[in-house]
Amino acid sequence: MAVMSVADLHVRLSGREILKGISLPEMRAGQMVGLIGPNASGKSTLLRAIAMGNGTQGGISLGGKPVTAMKRAERAANISLMPQTPPLGSTLTPFELLRSYARATNLGLSNAQLGDRMGELLGKLGLLPDAHRKLNELSGGKRQLVGMCLAMVNEPKYLLLDEPTSALDLRWQLTALSVARNYARSREAICVAALHDINLALRFCDLLVVLKDGCVAASGVPEEVIDSALLADVYGVSARLERCSQGAPVLIADAANEIGASA
Amino acid sequence: MSQQEISEPGNAGAGLFEHYRLIAARRTMVLICLFALMCLAFLMDITAGPANLGLLDVLKGIFSPSSLDQRNYVIIWSVRLPDALIALAVGGALSLAGVETQTTLNNPLASPFTLGISAAATLGAAFFIVVAPNVGGFSQTLMLPAFAFSFAMMAAMAILTLSTLHGGSSTTIVLYGIALVFLCEALTAALQYVASAEVIQQIVFWNMGNLTRAGWTEVAVVSAVFALVLPLSLRDVWILTALRGGEDQARSSGLSVNRIRLVVMIRVAILSAVAVCFVGTIGFIGLVGPHIARMLLGEDHRFLVPGACLTGAALLSLASCLSKVLVPGAIVPVYIITAIIGVPVFLVLISWRRKEASWQ
């Protein structure tokens, strides 16, 4: 059963403390968790700490077991991180790269089973027509979607996405996040996604964590967490949360505050 | 919210593999052609030489040695065959080492030589040639390769230790290697500076890779090492392919990048140290063999690794053949020939398959 808890997590990288003792509400199977915050607030560092235990002190446990006590193979079987940078534009095709990932992680599937899994994944992310094209001929957005396939092919219990929509157009932003959310729901997995677009986070996430300078500024149900005061404090902007005609919350950012104007 | 689901064509998985089978069949054909080319090069190589023996004579001599007179027996069994076989073994070994280095260090310029292994072997050989008179009592045929091999291994171990200690990225490893090349070259130059003209000539001659030094022992050692290492490389083809998606990607999915880098460096060190310690510097094969294979076969290492072995073996075999026929009555060191024939072949291929040649 996927359960993730983070308590008093410190991460130091090259002597600098990036995460300064953060604690998060318990994350449960089937949840989609959004990680938001300004640049350099520690979002990627948190995801990497969960995936690889880099420079961590205490703090993270998955299914009741501390991450630092897990062997590499055990971590690899349960956790996948999609990094910010898409796969290199080599002459490999998405099919070849995805297949080598599946085989290198010793999934033990037959070719037919693997073919089904890859076909489903590539189909959901609209990559089937490009499955046998070279990666260096694909757009940055498509390569980002390939990166998402790579993270998902071994069906991890903990799927971590670092800005999965940064290179995508509107349609694929929505598709990518709904694929991730459906994945979490249907496989009883936990998906944690670092996002810059707060509207996407409001729309897709069950739980939001707001980071600022390596500390948790707020966390909880999205609509309760996001308000003008928080946005002014964390991002230094004047913004408001309105309701759209269908009743969903929409964030409208009006202006960047003068530097030093907010607390 | 109603999210438009992307339609899933039925049987997508079966279709994916169906299409891939065509690609795989084409690549298998390319491998078969490369193998045929290598065999052709080998036949040309055993036929070429100052003694006027045609292909049929040589083949007859190989299959029924008893029919040969003493002179032809020596030519075929002590000169032609070992020289031609060591060309295949060294070419295959250097190219295999090259393809693995380029992939794990994610650098198209990497080869066993960028890592300083060859320069260290030369230093070892030079050290032995200069100091040998003072050691005395050892057979030169045994001790010279032994010195070259141990210096090459020491260089490889130094790089490995440095990169493990400092948690080196792939770029730092290449930088360590290049620093080591300069250090070894400087030390070799220093040895030459204090040596006599005659000794300098010996060092320079050793440094120019030359297949004619090889006998059956050398053939057996290089082939055995190659035959031991190749299956290990083939076992890692999936993770090597995965690495071409980027190191960060691979690490993020939990692939053991550090382990694969360590074992590849050990394999490369052994392969290239064994290859150069007997025949000297043959620089070009380890760099270009893999690139030619990549252009023809793509980067799926299940095809690329065997393909690189075949291109390396074929290239060195062709070079060895040319080294015997280019100047009538003389054998030009193969070191000189590899680049002279390799560069044009390489340039033609690059312009022909520009896209496959690019590296990002």
Side-chain angles (χ1 to χ4, degrees):
Chain A
M1 193 68 170
V3 186
M4 176 168 8
S5 68
V6 175
D8 194 30
L9 172 70
H10 294 260
V11 174
R12 293 185 80 84
L13 293 175
S14 347
R16 242 183 76 220
E17 186 162 47
I18 313 278
L19 295 181
K20 304 160 184 165
I22 65 169
S23 300
L24 303 179
E26 191 177 80
M27 292 163 253
R28 305 193 152 278
Q31 274 187 327
M32 174 91 178
V33 182
L35 205 54
I36 61 175
N39 296 328
S41 57
K43 302 187 294 293
S44 300
T45 306
L46 175 56
L47 291 180
R48 282 175 183 274
I50 299 170
M52 297 177 246
N54 287 352
T56 50
Q57 256 176 38
I60 308 166
S61 65
L62 303 176
K65 191 170 181 183
V67 154
T68 41
M70 291 166 87
K71 291 227 162 63
R72 194 197 56 76
E74 190 182 356
R75 279 210 305 269
N78 289 298
I79 316 167
S80 259
L81 166 67
M82 168 193 177
Q84 230 166 351
T85 44
L88 293 179
S90 66
T91 59
L92 287 173
T93 64
F95 174 90
E96 289 169 331
L97 192 57
L98 196 52
R99 187 178 181 203
S100 67
Y101 263 70
R103 290 298 180 216
T105 42
N106 298 320
L107 280 184
L109 298 176
S110 73
N111 266 355
Q113 289 168 316
L114 181 60
D116 286 343
R117 188 182 285 193
M118 286 167 54
E120 191 191 334
L121 206 49
L122 291 167
K124 276 184 185 160
L125 291 170
L127 290 166
L128 272 182
D130 305 305
H132 296 296
R133 285 179 63 199
K134 296 184 177 76
L135 278 161
N136 62 9
E137 294 171 356
L138 299 183
S139 68
K142 295 251 184 197
R143 274 199 272 143
Q144 190 164 42
L145 291 170
V146 173
M148 189 160 164
C149 291
L150 295 181
M152 291 176 73
V153 73
N154 64 344
E155 301 197 337
K157 263 197 249 170
Y158 304 91
L159 176 63
L160 314 172
L161 308 171
D162 198 351
E163 295 186 25
T165 58
S166 61
L168 303 180
D169 65 28
L170 269 182
R171 175 199 167 97
W172 295 107
Q173 290 178 9
L174 296 172
T175 309
L177 288 181
S178 84
V179 165
R181 187 177 59 183
N182 291 342
Y183 174 80
R185 300 262 153 91
S186 62
R187 305 292 152 90
E188 302 220 306
I190 294 175
C191 175
V192 186
L195 295 167
H196 267 310
D197 187 327
I198 295 172
N199 278 318
L200 285 175
L202 282 168
R203 186 173 283 225
F204 284 100
C205 297
D206 306 304
L207 189 69
L208 271 192
V209 174
V210 187
L211 291 181
K212 187 196 176 191
D213 293 334
C215 300
V216 177
S219 63
V221 182
E223 286 185 52
E224 291 169 10
V225 167
I226 303 288
D227 59 29
S228 301
L230 178 94
L231 293 165
D233 172 38
V234 171
Y235 286 94
V237 294
S238 308
R240 55 213 148 86
L241 208 60
E242 304 273 343
R243 295 263 157 203
C244 77
S245 58
Q246 293 178 349
V250 178
L251 178 85
I252 297 169
D254 294 311
N257 295 340
E258 293 289 315
I259 292 172
S262 68
Chain B
M1 189 202 74
S2 72
Q3 171 65 44
Q4 190 188 346
E5 277 299 326
I6 303 308
S7 64
E8 247 175 68
N11 249 347
L16 271 181
F17 270 86
E18 204 61 48
H19 187 132
Y20 182 71
R21 236 164 258 142
L22 295 176
I23 300 175
R26 197 189 63 81
R27 289 185 180 154
T28 312
M29 276 310 297
V30 174
L31 278 183
I32 293 171
C33 292
L34 282 175
F35 181 76
L37 185 73
M38 184 193 78
C39 293
L40 185 70
F42 175 75
L43 289 178
M44 282 161 61
D45 194 14
I46 51 173
T47 313
N52 209 3
L53 283 171
L55 178 60
L56 284 180
D57 300 326
V58 176
L59 288 181
K60 211 173 118 200
I62 291 173
F63 290 111
S64 60
S66 51
S67 70
L68 290 169
D69 60 38
Q70 184 62 30
R71 171 181 167 273
N72 285 350
Y73 185 87
V74 170
I75 290 176
I76 293 174
W77 284 91
S78 307
V79 180
R80 296 261 180 103
L81 266 182
D83 286 11
L85 287 172
I86 198 101
L88 294 183
V90 167
L94 288 178
S95 195
L96 174 60
V99 74
E100 291 212 84
T101 332
Q102 287 169 5
T103 298
T104 40
L105 297 183
N106 186 26
N107 191 324
L109 297 175
S111 80
F113 299 85
T114 350
L115 295 177
I117 293 172
S118 170
T122 306
L123 176 62
F127 183 77
F128 174 76
I129 292 168
V130 172
V131 179
N134 309 332
V135 179
F138 293 107
S139 114
Q140 169 141 350
T141 45
L142 183 74
M143 287 310 283
L144 204 149
F147 264 79
F149 179 81
S150 38
F151 271 64
M153 283 307 281
M154 278 195 285
M157 290 308 131
I159 289 198
L160 266 178
T161 319
L162 278 173
S163 58
T164 346
L165 279 181
H166 301 267
S169 69
S170 43
T171 337
T172 11
I173 298 182
V174 174
L175 286 176
Y176 285 139
I178 288 174
L180 198 63
V181 170
F182 281 105
L183 179 66
C184 291
E185 282 178 355
L187 290 174
T188 309
L191 281 173
Q192 289 176 334
Y193 184 71
V194 297
S196 68
E198 192 186 318
V199 169
I200 291 177
Q201 199 182 4
Q202 253 184 304
I203 296 173
V204 170
F205 187 70
W206 188 88
N207 189 24
M208 281 192 228
N210 193 340
L211 299 168
T212 54
R213 293 172 202 146
W216 285 105
T217 324
E218 287 83 350
V219 172
V221 172
V222 182
S223 312
V225 167
F226 178 72
L228 283 175
V229 172
L230 180 63
L232 299 176
S233 308
L234 290 174
R235 219 182 48 181
D236 284 332
V237 287
W238 293 117
I239 188 166
L240 286 170
T241 310
L243 271 181
R244 286 299 292 128
E247 195 179 313
D248 196 29
Q249 286 281 342
R251 255 185 231 286
S252 304
S253 284
L255 299 182
S256 42
V257 176
N258 290 345
R259 186 201 71 92
I260 186 73
R261 188 180 287 155
L262 184 73
V263 297
V264 163
M265 296 305 271
I266 293 172
R267 288 205 288 260
V268 166
I270 294 173
L271 277 175
S272 37
V274 165
V276 298
C277 79
F278 293 127
V279 299
T281 308
I282 299 177
F284 198 61
I285 303 282
L287 177 69
V288 164
H291 280 294
I292 293 177
R294 198 175 285 113
M295 284 183 245
L296 297 174
L297 290 157
E299 297 191 82
D300 183 339
H301 283 61
R302 288 181 311 142
F303 296 100
L304 178 56
V305 166
C309 299
L310 291 174
T311 49
L315 265 182
L316 194 53
S317 200
L318 276 178
S320 157
C321 172
L322 275 181
S323 73
K324 290 187 267 186
V325 298
L326 222 51
V327 181
I331 298 178
V332 184
V334 78
Y335 160 85
I336 299 172
I337 305 292
T338 39
I340 294 177
I341 69 147
V343 169
V345 171
F346 192 42
L347 292 182
V348 168
L349 270 169
I350 289 181
S351 58
W352 176 39
R353 308 198 62 138
R354 203 162 295 157
K355 207 157 231 161
E356 283 74 9
S358 73
W359 185 291
Q360 286 175 36

